[in-house]
Amino acid sequence: ASEQSGLYVHCVPTGRGSDVSLSWRPSESIPGAHEVRIKYARVGAFPSVGEFYVLVFKDRFCASLAELWYCVVHSRLRADVNGVTGQAAGVELVVRGDRVPRIVRAYAGLATSDGSKEQTTKDAAFDPPSAFRLVPHAHNKFAIHFRPRHPGNSRLHVHLVDVDTQDLVAAWLLNAVAAAPTITKTYDVEIPCGQAITKRIPYRNPWNRARTFTLVSSDETLVRARDPVRPFVNIGPNAVEYLRLYFAPVHRQGLVQCYLFLNDENDQSEETFLLRLLVA
């Protein structure tokens, strides 16, 4: 229990013994708020599940209940994927169906540096892309394709959820390692401090057939396609077309760098441009 801010926290495990420890402290990010940090001591092998309750009382006699939390701890599988920055790399995931048929859907979120939070990402795509049926008593396969925007390591939470009951069917921790891209051309762009500008870069399609290329920025808060709804360009055989870009305001003078990937229909990089933004 804790007496900070007049609140008292208790944990009630559902199994034998106590595998849960709690700490209660002021929040570092939200003034006036507090954080309850939960540590679960023993996580079993997949697909084991642990359950416990967290009770928050308003008085030290535990007579006035403020909140009641029901916590479920799911063990996860692990998967690894290796690729190149700016290009999609895929890995196949396998889940065994249980006794009843299920309609499931996969979701993915980026883990933060400390692993405590999850951020939505549009750089992960699934095959199949929508809900699909799990065959009972069989090994079912689906794939995830992840496009890292920066070199190095990143982690994704992948959840397979029952569409009808919202139950968590399976979960993975996906470790992605991205190598640095091969830069094909470097551009120096002068940007007035605090102002947004637009630029265009000529590009020739080197192929003898029409191609569709998608513009992917390593940092969309700095650079993106001028039309974010249609971030692609259609170029005829051996023709030249302009890549139209939007540069967001930068409020600090100096040099800022980011990548611009020109990806093909399979989300593989045809070109990688290094944009050196000179803010003055």
Side-chain angles (χ1 to χ4, degrees):
S2 173
E3 298 184 3
Q4 297 187 38
S5 300
L7 295 176
Y8 300 78
V9 183
H10 289 269
C11 175
V12 179
T14 57
R16 295 181 179 179
S18 178
D19 297 330
V20 186
S21 61
L22 303 176
S23 62
W24 176 270
R25 68 180 185 182
S27 173
E28 298 178 356
S29 58
I30 305 177
H34 283 72
E35 296 178 348
V36 177
R37 303 187 70 87
I38 303 173
K39 181 179 180 181
Y40 193 79
R42 292 191 293 270
V43 179
F46 179 84
S48 63
V49 176
E51 302 172 318
F52 60 92
Y53 294 90
V54 176
L55 296 84
V56 182
F57 293 95
K58 298 180 181 179
D59 65 300
R60 64 188 181 92
F61 301 105
C62 300
S64 178
L65 182 65
E67 294 190 22
L68 171 63
W69 307 338
Y70 172 57
C71 304
V72 181
V73 181
H74 292 266
S75 61
R76 294 188 294 183
L77 298 167
R78 171 172 171 160
D80 299 283
V81 61
N82 297 279
V84 180
T85 302
Q87 303 186 39
V91 62
E92 195 172 69
L93 304 177
V94 180
V95 58
R96 180 174 174 80
D98 51 19
R99 291 177 294 179
V100 296
R102 292 178 182 267
I103 303 298
V104 297
R105 185 164 186 170
Y107 300 88
L110 273 173
T112 54
S113 57
D114 60 359
S116 61
K117 297 180 181 179
E118 183 175 311
Q119 300 173 347
T120 57
T121 177
K122 60 181 180 181
D123 294 321
F126 292 98
D127 182 18
S130 57
F132 61 96
R133 182 176 181 269
L134 281 188
V135 179
H137 304 293
H139 289 89
N140 300 263
K141 299 180 180 180
F142 68 102
I144 178 173
H145 301 273
F146 175 60
R147 181 182 58 202
R149 294 180 186 247
H150 303 280
N153 299 342
S154 55
R155 297 192 303 171
L156 281 85
H157 301 296
V158 180
H159 294 154
L160 195 64
V161 180
D162 188 303
V163 172
D164 299 318
T165 64
Q166 301 301 306
D167 290 338
L168 182 63
V169 177
W172 290 263
L173 180 62
L174 180 65
N175 295 279
V177 180
T182 301
I183 299 172
T184 55
K185 191 172 290 188
T186 300
Y187 291 96
D188 290 335
V189 182
E190 295 183 357
I191 300 178
C193 186
Q195 296 184 25
I197 64 171
T198 57
K199 293 280 187 179
R200 61 181 189 174
I201 298 174
Y203 179 73
R204 177 183 294 276
N205 176 14
W207 298 86
N208 294 324
R209 58 184 177 88
R211 300 291 301 275
T212 299
F213 299 103
T214 302
L215 301 177
V216 180
S217 171
S218 64
D219 189 348
E220 292 188 343
T221 63
L222 292 175
V223 183
R224 60 168 172 79
R226 185 184 299 183
D227 185 357
V229 180
R230 297 170 57 87
F232 52 85
V233 57
N234 299 312
I235 309 179
N238 300 305
V240 177
E241 188 57 78
Y242 286 101
L243 312 179
R244 293 171 170 80
L245 305 175
Y246 168 83
F247 294 83
V250 180
H251 300 281
R252 179 179 296 179
Q253 295 183 345
L255 175 64
V256 183
Q257 296 186 151
C258 72
Y259 296 115
L260 179 67
F261 307 103
L262 195 64
N263 286 8
D264 61 16
E265 297 87 344
N266 298 316
D267 208 11
Q268 301 299 297
S269 295
E270 187 82 13
E271 304 276 354
T272 300
F273 303 138
L274 175 63
L275 303 181
R276 293 163 42 91
L277 312 183
L278 309 175
V279 185

